[in-house]
Amino acid sequence: QVQLVESGGGLVQAGASLRLSCVASGRTLDIVAVGWFRQAPGKEREFVAAITRTGDSTVHYTDSIQGRFTISRDNDKNTVDLQVSSLRPEDTAVYYCAARRSMLAVPRENAYDYWGQGTQVTVSS
């Protein structure tokens, strides 16, 4: 079993930056990759970014945020961070950390096995 806890969200003005953190505990060796998702009010949850836990830290971003967001890992602390910059009001959402046990090519919503409770990011215009 794996537990994930997110932190670092807040209320910021457009153009600001935040660093969101996800700390994993439990059977972290079961994790092959960690992803960040977000869910805006009234919207479906969407994929943001992912990084592998081991190896060369393969990274993937959704096209809509590439260049503004950066995902990174610190295996010594069992953390995965999402640096978000140049924030826009449309980035307002609850940001979730998720972990997957397999790299099989399946839809991302089905691929992740563990989820955190989320951290709120609110961007004022």
Side-chain angles (χ1 to χ4, degrees), residues 30-43:
D30 290 346
I31 299 172
V32 298
V34 173
W36 282 93
F37 294 74
R38 66 184 181 183
Q39 186 169 23
K43 301 292 183 64

Side-chain angles (χ1 to χ4, degrees), residues 4-100:
L4 306 171
V5 179
E6 305 95 333
S7 63
L11 173 62
V12 299
Q13 296 181 0
S17 298
L18 288 171
R19 191 172 187 89
L20 310 181
S21 294
C22 170
V23 59
S25 61
R27 299 186 61 172
T28 56
L29 294 179
D30 290 346
I31 299 172
V32 298
V34 173
W36 282 93
F37 294 74
R38 66 184 181 183
Q39 186 169 23
K43 301 292 183 64
E44 296 292 324
R45 185 168 56 199
E46 66 173 339
F47 172 78
V48 176
I51 187 170
T52 55
R53 186 184 66 84
T54 60
D56 61 356
S57 301
T58 301
V59 171
H60 184 73
Y61 299 96
T62 188
D63 290 341
S64 64
I65 56 87
Q66 189 169 6
R68 297 192 297 118
F69 292 6
T70 302
I71 190 170
S72 61
R73 71 179 186 186
D74 185 343
N75 285 354
D76 291 338
K77 298 180 179 179
N78 289 321
T79 57
V80 174
D81 290 355
L82 184 70
Q83 177 72 38
V84 296
S85 61
S86 301
L87 284 165
R88 307 163 181 169
E90 53 263 42
D91 294 320
T92 295
V94 177
Y95 284 71
Y96 296 93
C97 173
R100 61 191 296 175

